[in-house]
């Protein structure tokens, strides 16, 4: 309002001066009330100058009312629009008329959430020697929920047809809290950090072959853990390290079936004793695109109150991941590998022979793993070549510790992928599978997988 009053006073004074000037001049120069031509020209020039000043004041008055409108008009005036010369000074005026009000960030409000549905779908055809060829399909939705920027939830379901119905399995469900940039806490059902393939490469649009390597399954490495974990990463000079440590329900030692005596069942979601499994993995990235890691899990898998309750089990693994772009090969090369060893202390299974296969004393040892090499011609000029990817994999699994179950088995797999999009792929693979002392289980595998 002060600005308005000052502008109005200046305008009125200017107008009075313009009106009064000729009269004063006339009284000073002549006695008959007339002015000379010279005086007229001077007055005219002054009038034009005053008119310009008056126009400038009017322009300023034209902006001022907008500043003093209601709050809604002020907000509308600050919306992005075509700027005119001199408009850069307007925000400062707005700050004077309407002081800034601190905005509350929605992310900081309890109950403000962000939700994302991700996952993948797949369809597969498998023709394996000695078995009936079959089609299969599955849908794996992944639910990601951000309660606050520090509280997160993730979960995955596996939905697939089975017989005359549909199976729905809960694969994982975990609540995480981001303590700081280097530490995250998690509790629930999570992928075991020591099993790198399950944690990173299991989704079928990421896994480069239609099936999964059996060397990291079948009781050698844990897949899913139910418990609590702490994980994170930190720089070491130009390099970087990551870690994950957890405590969870332990595996179950198989003691009743002669084929699997001494093996570990990691699919138990409740513990069979008061002892808990402790494990983890430490990874090191010496250069960009290269990571090496070591994982472990130690537990007492025997049932409480049985002769096996003090039997100790230790699982160890090493892994390698390499991703490099090569100008020489005009493409990208991936190398993935992991090998694991399982050791269960000496024990006597079916000591009194009541089950029918004992007494069977043994120290249960088993090992398995895989190595995979993939090449994609990403630097060629033709789409049909850039979308092609060739894969070779070797995987191995030693025999069951008792010698009465599955024999030693080694597979060689050759695959060819065609990428329809960055997350949609057509796969074809042939697998040479030769269990020791048994007929081959060679297979033709075809698959379509799409991530979303």
């Amino acid at each position: 309002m002060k600005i308005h009053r000052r502008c109005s006073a200046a305008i009125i004074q200017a107008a009075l001066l313009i009106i009064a000037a000729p009269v004063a001049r006339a009284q000073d120069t002549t006695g008959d009330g007339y002015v000379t031509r010279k005086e007229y020209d001077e007055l005219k020039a002054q009038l034009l100058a005053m008119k310009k000043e008056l126009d400038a004041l009017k322009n300023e008055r034209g902006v001022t009312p907008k500043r003093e409108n209601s709050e809604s008009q002020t907000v509308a005036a600050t919306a992005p629009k075509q700027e005119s010369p001199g408009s850069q000074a307007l925000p400062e005026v707005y700050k004077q008329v309407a002081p800034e009000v601190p905005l509350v960030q929605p992310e900081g409000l309890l109950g403000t959430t962000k939700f994302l549905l991700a996952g993948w779908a797949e369809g597969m055809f498998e023709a394996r020697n000695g078995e009936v060829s079959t089609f299969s399909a599955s849908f794996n939705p992944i639910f990601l929920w951000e309660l606050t920027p520090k509280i997160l939830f993730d979960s995955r379901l596996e939905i697939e047809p089975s017989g005359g119905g549909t199976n729905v399995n809960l694969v994982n469900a975990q609540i995480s809290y981001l303590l700081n940039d280097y530490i995250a806490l998690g509790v629930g059902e999570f992928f075991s950090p020591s099993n790198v393939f399950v944690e990173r490469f299991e989704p079928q649009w990421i896994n480069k072959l239609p099936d999964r390597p059996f060397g990291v399954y079948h009781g050698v490495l844990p897949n899913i853990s139910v418990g609590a974990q702490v994980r994170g990463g930190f720089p070491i000079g130009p390099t970087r390290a990551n870690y994950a440590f957890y405590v969870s329900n332990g595996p179950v030692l198989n003691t009743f079936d002669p084929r699997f005596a001494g093996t570990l069942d990691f699919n138990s979601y409740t513990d069979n004793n008061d002892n808990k499994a402790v494990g983890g993995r430490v990874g090191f990235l010496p250069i960009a695109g290269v990571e090496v890691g070591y994982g472990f899990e130690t537990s007492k898998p025997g049932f409480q109150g049985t002769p096996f309750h003090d039997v100790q089990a230790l699982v160890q693994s090493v892994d390698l991941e390499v991703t490099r772009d090569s100008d020489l090969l005009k493409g990208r090369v991936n190398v993935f590998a992991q090998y694991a060893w399982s050791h269960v202390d000496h024990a006597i299974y079916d000591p009194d022979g009541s089950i029918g296969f004992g007494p069977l004393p043994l120290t249960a040892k088993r090992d398995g793993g895989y190595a995979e090499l993939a090449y994609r011609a990403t630097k060629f000029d033709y789409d049909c070549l850039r979308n092609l990817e060739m894969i070779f994999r070797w995987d191995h699994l030693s025999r069951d510790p008792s010698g009465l179950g599955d024999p030693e088995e080694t597979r060689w797999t050759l695959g060819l992928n065609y990428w329809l999009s960055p997350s949609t792929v057509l796969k074809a693979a042939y697998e040479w599978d030769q269990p020791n002392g048994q007929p081959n289980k060679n297979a033709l595998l075809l698959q379509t997988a799409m991530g979303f």
Side-chain angles (χ1 to χ4, degrees), residues 59-60 63 67 81-91:
N59 288 336
E60 290 184 6
V63 173
R67 301 173 193 163
K81 60 183 179 180
Q82 185 74 24
E83 293 186 354
S84 58
S87 64
Q88 291 80 356
L90 294 181

Side-chain angles (χ1 to χ4, degrees), residues 44-107:
K44 182 178 180 181
Q46 292 176 9
L47 179 62
L48 292 174
M50 295 298 293
K51 186 176 184 301
K52 290 182 180 180
E53 294 180 8
L54 181 60
D55 290 339
L57 290 173
K58 287 182 177 180
N59 288 336
E60 290 184 6
R61 290 191 63 196
V63 173
T64 302
K66 295 181 182 178
R67 301 173 193 163
E68 298 179 352
N69 279 341
S70 64
E71 182 179 351
S72 61
Q73 291 174 322
T74 303
V75 174
T78 58
K81 60 183 179 180
Q82 185 74 24
E83 293 186 354
S84 58
S87 64
Q88 291 80 356
L90 294 181
E92 194 64 33
V93 176
Y94 288 137
K95 291 180 181 178
Q96 296 175 4
V97 177
E100 291 184 359
V101 178
L103 295 178
V104 179
Q105 296 297 328
E107 293 81 4

Side-chain angles (χ1 to χ4, degrees), residues 105-114 145-149:
Q105 296 297 328
E107 293 81 4
L109 295 177
L110 184 63
T112 300
T113 66
K114 295 179 181 178
W145 180 29
E146 181 184 292
L147 179 62
T148 73

Side-chain angles (χ1 to χ4, degrees), residues 82-284:
Q82 185 74 24
E83 293 186 354
S84 58
S87 64
Q88 291 80 356
L90 294 181
E92 194 64 33
V93 176
Y94 288 137
K95 291 180 181 178
Q96 296 175 4
V97 177
E100 291 184 359
V101 178
L103 295 178
V104 179
Q105 296 297 328
E107 293 81 4
L109 295 177
L110 184 63
T112 300
T113 66
K114 295 179 181 178
F115 178 79
L116 174 66
L117 175 63
W120 78 90
E122 62 178 281
M124 183 167 170
F125 173 78
E126 179 178 355
R128 188 173 296 276
N129 187 33
E131 300 179 10
V132 176
S133 62
T134 185
F135 286 96
S136 61
S138 71
F139 171 52
N140 293 258
I142 299 174
F143 304 92
L144 304 172
W145 180 29
E146 181 184 292
L147 179 62
T148 73
K150 287 184 173 291
I151 303 176
L152 312 174
F153 174 79
D154 66 279
S155 180
R156 176 184 138 199
L157 297 178
E158 183 179 51
I159 305 172
E160 56 185 1
S162 177
T166 301
N167 283 341
V168 179
N169 298 317
L170 178 65
V171 179
N172 78 289
Q174 178 181 217
I175 300 172
S176 301
Y177 180 77
L178 306 182
L179 190 62
N180 54 45
D181 291 342
Y182 309 102
I183 302 174
L185 308 176
V187 61
E189 182 181 2
F190 50 86
F191 300 109
S192 299
S194 59
N195 194 329
V196 175
F197 180 86
V198 171
E199 190 176 58
R200 301 183 183 181
F201 309 124
E202 187 178 52
Q204 284 302 94
W205 70 277
I206 298 176
N207 180 18
K208 295 184 180 298
L209 289 171
D211 64 348
R212 300 174 173 92
F214 56 28
V216 293
Y217 293 89
H218 295 277
V220 181
L221 275 176
N223 301 332
I224 301 293
S225 298
V226 180
Q229 66 170 324
V230 54
R231 63 191 307 148
F234 51 88
I236 306 177
T239 66
R240 186 171 181 82
N242 55 63
Y243 66 90
F245 299 104
Y246 63 93
V247 56
S248 67
N249 294 333
V252 173
L253 179 64
N254 290 314
T255 61
F256 301 106
D257 191 328
R259 298 173 300 166
F260 306 115
T263 62
L264 301 173
D265 181 4
F266 292 101
N267 296 320
S268 176
Y269 293 97
T270 57
D271 214 336
N272 60 349
N273 56 45
D274 291 331
N275 182 268
K276 296 294 175 279
V278 176
R281 177 186 177 275
V282 177
F284 178 60

Side-chain angles (χ1 to χ4, degrees), residues 376-394:
R376 183 174 176 183
T378 56
K379 298 182 182 294
F380 279 78
D381 296 331
Y382 303 100
D383 288 344
C384 59
L385 294 178
R386 285 199 303 267
N387 295 335
L388 284 175
E389 185 173 29
M390 295 178 289
I391 306 97
F392 170 77
R393 186 185 69 197
W394 167 89

